[in-house]
Amino acid sequence: MKILILGAGRVGASVAENLVSEKNDITIVDTDGERLRYLQERFDLRGVQGDASMPDILRSAGADDTDLLVACAATDPVNLVACRIAKDVFNIPRRITRVRSHAYSSNVELIKESFGVDSVISPEDSVTTYLHSLIEFPEALQVVEFGQGRLSILIIRIGRVSPLINLRVNQTGQNLPNLNARVLEIFRHGAAIALDHQSAIQQGDELVVAVDTQDGKDAVAKLQYTSRKVRTVMIAGGGNIGYRLARKLSEGSYNVRILETSRERCEKLASLLPSKVLVLQGDATDESLLDNENIEEMDTFLAVTNDDEDNIMSSLLAKRLGARKVIALINRKAYGDLMEGSLIDIAVSPSQATIGALLRDVRQGAVVAGHRLRGGNAEAIEFEVNGDRKSSQVVGKSIQDLKLPKTAIVAAILREDEVILPEPGTTIQMGDHVVVFAGNRHDMRRVEKLFQVSLFFF
């Protein structure tokens, strides 16, 4: 696929890195020549310097024969204008835009109609939703949803008092005691181990579990004896993500405090957020401030400023001072890999959340939704089953008869209002939505071909 990316900032660079690895033909446009040179040296892509909202720049970048436009320049107006030009002048088939302003992201249908946009992604909204899920499932390292929220896939680290220690998971992964969930994969010291009666679950193992979202919280509670509800949350950083997360949490039964260094921003937050959210001016790396605000009573501490180093330092400090769980927003992948699993419980990469939002548009075909897991190494995708027994390779087939790659497993089948955790003999029907997990995301290409419908299907 020939893909044109507008903007070489953090989002654009991350999109380029992920899409180049899937052997796409990538061109990236930005006004910063030095940034483009850096990306060209690192990845197999072409850089074009210039204003992405200008037709001649888009033409020189190859817009005439581009299959997909991803507009993620620094400003929303540039992205929206570029999408309008891409449709009207160059007839680019698929157009995706990144928007940052809530005024735009809350009016998606208007944007689509007015600017010729097919899909709207908001990294801030994606990250906010993801962080909220981690608070809702306090023992989970990662939570992603499918089927409009009906199915959840969780990654859970087994603690020293888990009821699952010494359990030998069978090959179907469905012998969890008193639990309607299935284990998709077990990771030990970063490597996958076989699901069979030879391998018993140990403390420190990471389990990838599929569960009906309605049963999700009960599932986590049963997997971890220590699970308790989150009541108190402290957020370091009052930017877009901090504000949106505080607002979302305020709709529930959480006691929320938000720390922000800028007095002007604090006043703005106080005027926008409900009165039960406590807005405090101060630096989250200030030990005395955290002490005074009873950090040791916080169930969850989240550092979501724009500075990786500040997020790391404040999270480490909060953990040392007694916060039960700390989550840090870290843009640099190397930093995230180093920090996660140390005193920092979870390092969240904004780029991975954004890539998840893009997977459906990049993959197209039968793909309904997709998410990257475990730092982008694994992947889960929801496929819509189209066609019939003649035109489809999966309709009428049982799970055990599917020719899936070794690392891939059918996590669930969404059939009308039912969430099915399939047995080997479960048969796939036309209209089903099938969620597949692959421990190695590169194997997902073979799965995609399996769900493609014959060209003669109408």
Side-chain angles (χ1 to χ4, degrees):
M1 182 183 293
K2 188 170 182 181
I3 302 173
L4 178 56
I5 299 172
L6 310 181
R10 285 177 174 173
V11 174
S14 176
V15 170
E17 179 179 1
N18 280 271
L19 299 185
V20 162
S21 67
E22 298 189 1
K23 299 181 180 178
N24 293 295
D25 181 1
I26 306 291
T27 300
I28 189 164
V29 178
D30 197 274
T31 55
D32 190 330
E34 185 175 343
R35 190 176 295 168
L36 289 173
R37 284 188 292 273
Y38 170 74
L39 292 176
Q40 287 180 107
E41 290 171 0
R42 287 189 64 199
F43 308 117
D44 181 19
L45 55 77
R46 174 178 170 239
V48 173
Q49 186 173 0
D51 184 343
S53 64
M54 302 299 291
D56 58 331
I57 296 296
L58 293 176
R59 182 172 285 107
S60 65
D64 287 305
D65 60 351
T66 288
D67 300 305
L68 171 67
L69 175 87
V70 182
C72 46
T75 63
D76 292 345
V78 168
N79 291 328
L80 296 173
V81 168
C83 284
R84 182 81 259 176
I85 295 171
K87 180 181 181 181
D88 292 348
V89 178
F90 300 105
N91 197 29
I92 295 177
R94 297 284 300 169
R95 301 160 303 279
I96 305 170
T97 187
R98 185 275 295 270
V99 295
R100 301 190 66 181
S101 169
H102 181 67
Y104 285 130
S105 62
S106 60
N107 290 282
V108 171
E109 293 307 316
L110 177 63
I111 288 176
K112 289 182 177 181
E113 182 179 344
S114 302
F115 294 97
V117 175
D118 293 302
S119 297
V120 177
I121 58 171
S122 171
E124 286 87 354
D125 281 347
S126 298
V127 172
T128 301
T129 300
Y130 182 63
L131 292 173
H132 186 262
S133 297
L134 292 174
I135 295 170
E136 290 279 283
F137 294 91
E139 303 300 336
L141 299 175
Q142 191 168 1
V143 183
V144 294
E145 295 182 344
F146 296 92
Q148 297 180 328
R150 288 183 293 151
L151 177 78
S152 292
I153 293 182
L154 318 174
I155 299 181
I156 301 169
R157 183 177 292 122
I158 298 299
R160 61 184 178 84
V161 292
S162 170
L164 298 188
I165 289 180
N166 295 324
L167 175 72
R168 299 182 185 276
V169 180
N170 63 23
Q171 289 181 328
T172 68
Q174 291 179 270
N175 65 326
L176 298 178
N178 305 314
L179 197 60
N180 184 27
R182 74 175 303 180
V183 176
L184 306 177
E185 192 85 89
I186 300 174
F187 291 95
R188 181 172 298 158
H189 307 304
I193 64 172
L195 296 184
D196 57 34
H197 289 294
Q198 304 303 313
S199 302
I201 294 175
Q202 299 177 8
Q203 177 185 345
D205 285 353
E206 291 182 11
L207 269 60
V208 184
V209 181
V211 63
D212 186 324
T213 301
Q214 290 185 338
D215 304 324
K217 291 181 182 178
D218 290 338
V220 173
K222 290 176 181 177
L223 290 171
Q224 302 283 63
Y225 283 135
T226 57
S227 179
R228 72 172 190 262
K229 285 189 175 181
V230 172
R231 296 294 185 191
T232 54
V233 178
M234 181 178 286
I235 302 169
N240 287 332
I241 292 173
Y243 160 66
R244 294 181 193 196
L245 182 59
R247 187 182 61 186
K248 195 174 184 72
L249 291 172
S250 70
E251 297 170 0
S253 57
Y254 298 101
N255 180 339
V256 183
R257 303 179 191 185
I258 184 166
L259 298 177
E260 168 59 41
T261 56
S262 166
R263 181 179 181 83
E264 183 180 352
R265 181 62 179 171
C266 283
E267 292 173 352
K268 182 75 177 291
L269 290 171
S271 68
L272 293 173
L273 291 168
S275 57
K276 69 176 185 176
V277 176
L278 183 59
V279 180
L280 302 165
Q281 183 185 3
D283 187 344
T285 60
D286 183 343
E287 182 173 350
S288 62
L289 174 62
L290 295 182
D291 264 334
N292 290 337
E293 293 304 322
N294 303 314
I295 187 65
E296 73 279 0
E297 297 178 1
M298 293 298 135
D299 293 319
T300 305
F301 174 90
L302 304 102
V304 295
T305 74
N306 290 324
D307 189 294
D308 284 354
E309 287 79 3
D310 277 355
N311 289 343
I312 291 169
M313 293 306 297
S314 61
S315 297
L316 292 173
L317 181 59
K319 190 71 171 182
R320 185 173 67 81
L321 294 176
R324 176 180 159 212
K325 179 178 180 180
V326 299
I327 302 172
L329 198 65
I330 303 177
N331 285 282
R332 297 186 190 179
K333 187 176 185 302
Y335 282 9
D337 293 343
L338 282 171
M339 290 293 108
E340 187 166 76
S342 59
L343 288 178
I344 293 177
D345 296 295
I346 303 176
V348 174
S349 165
S351 62
Q352 286 302 322
T354 305
I355 291 301
L358 277 171
L359 282 179
R360 184 184 71 86
D361 297 282
V362 174
R363 298 293 176 75
Q364 297 183 348
V367 175
V368 176
H371 294 284
R372 294 273 170 84
L373 299 101
R374 302 199 77 252
N377 297 315
E379 193 166 271
I381 288 184
E382 176 185 344
F383 296 94
E384 182 177 7
V385 179
N386 297 310
D388 52 26
R389 289 175 182 265
K390 292 182 179 180
S391 59
S392 170
Q393 300 178 69
V394 298
V395 172
K397 295 282 184 69
S398 65
I399 299 299
Q400 62 192 359
D401 291 333
L402 296 180
K403 296 178 181 178
L404 294 172
K406 205 169 186 179
T407 70
I409 183 172
V410 175
I413 296 174
L414 308 175
R415 183 173 295 160
E416 296 179 347
D417 294 329
E418 189 178 6
V419 176
I420 301 170
L421 302 178
E423 299 281 354
T426 303
T427 301
I428 296 174
Q429 301 178 9
M430 182 175 67
D432 285 349
H433 281 216
V434 179
V435 180
V436 180
F437 169 82
N440 182 343
R441 68 179 175 87
H442 298 293
D443 286 338
M444 196 60 83
R445 283 297 187 186
R446 287 172 56 193
V447 180
E448 286 180 59
K449 292 179 181 178
L450 195 63
F451 282 86
Q452 288 176 354
V453 177
S454 166
L455 292 174
F456 299 103
F457 171 70
F458 294 96

